Amino acid sequence: MTKIIFTTDYFSLEQDSNGINFIRSGDAMVVVPVSDSGQVLLVKEYAPAFGGEALVLPGGEVEVGEAQADTANRELQEEIGYRAGQLDLIGEIWPWAKYLAVRNYVYLARKLTPSKLKGDEAHRITVHPISLDDIGSLIGAGELHDAVTIAALYLVREHLKM
């Protein structure tokens, strides 16, 4: 049994029965959209925790009662203006398993077709195509920092080698 100490629209600070504090957030979706030419479509958007823009994958919170595949396609349409004809669940990532209770479901999105939905972001989002072969160089150049994005890209790269 946990005790809620503080809550916001995005997360809650809770305490377990041993008195250890942790953060709980809703489950999330991260989508790796791959174009017909093999490019991954990353987005650059404002990251309030770091006061600047970050290169990340499209994604967002899984809404109550919404199927994961529906969440993946909704986020793609809101953030990059595409819908996936094929979605494959690749895995589940826990970004900080000891002190953050959130699951990120990783989906590979292919057979992309243009389809735009209005998003809920209050900031500009731009699309940045990359090659899966460029992950390491983007990290080394200090352009890619997000751990969930990095893990998801490596998972998809290994999945596509099969």
Side-chain angles (χ1 to χ4, degrees):
M1 187 74 178
T2 65
K3 172 180 147 186
I4 297 175
I5 297 170
F6 177 79
T7 189
T8 75
D9 290 341
Y10 299 105
F11 65 88
S12 61
L13 176 61
E14 300 184 18
Q15 189 174 76
D16 73 4
S17 58
N18 296 313
I20 299 172
N21 295 338
F22 66 95
I23 297 170
R24 181 181 306 279
S25 183
D27 289 339
M29 178 69 53
V30 61
V31 187
V32 183
V34 178
S35 70
D36 290 341
S37 65
Q39 296 285 297
V40 173
L41 305 178
L42 295 178
V43 297
K44 189 173 271 191
E45 64 178 306
Y46 181 68
F50 292 95
E53 290 188 324
L55 202 54
V56 296
L57 287 162
E61 188 171 0
V62 178
E63 294 179 5
V64 175
E66 185 177 37
Q68 289 180 9
D70 292 340
T71 300
N73 255 324
R74 177 178 50 79
E75 291 293 342
L76 283 173
Q77 292 172 87
E78 289 176 358
E79 295 185 12
I80 66 170
Y82 285 95
R83 178 174 181 74
Q86 179 180 348
L87 284 166
D88 300 306
L89 177 62
I90 302 301
E92 183 179 313
I93 297 171
W94 299 358
W96 193 24
K98 285 179 67 176
Y99 300 108
L100 176 59
V102 63
R103 288 180 291 240
N104 284 271
Y105 299 102
V106 179
Y107 273 80
L108 169 60
R110 293 181 277 192
K111 299 181 183 175
L112 305 176
T113 56
S115 179
K116 183 70 177 161
L117 291 175
K118 182 174 175 12
D120 57 1
E121 288 82 4
H123 47 270
R124 182 177 65 104
I125 296 175
T126 57
V127 177
H128 294 265
I130 67 155
S131 167
L132 284 170
D133 293 332
D134 293 338
I135 302 167
S137 61
L138 287 169
I139 296 167
E143 296 178 42
L144 181 58
H145 303 280
D146 183 69
V148 171
T149 296
I150 292 167
L153 290 171
Y154 278 114
L155 280 171
V156 165
R157 189 169 80 176
E158 289 305 308
H159 176 80
L160 291 174
K161 286 181 182 178
M162 299 170 73

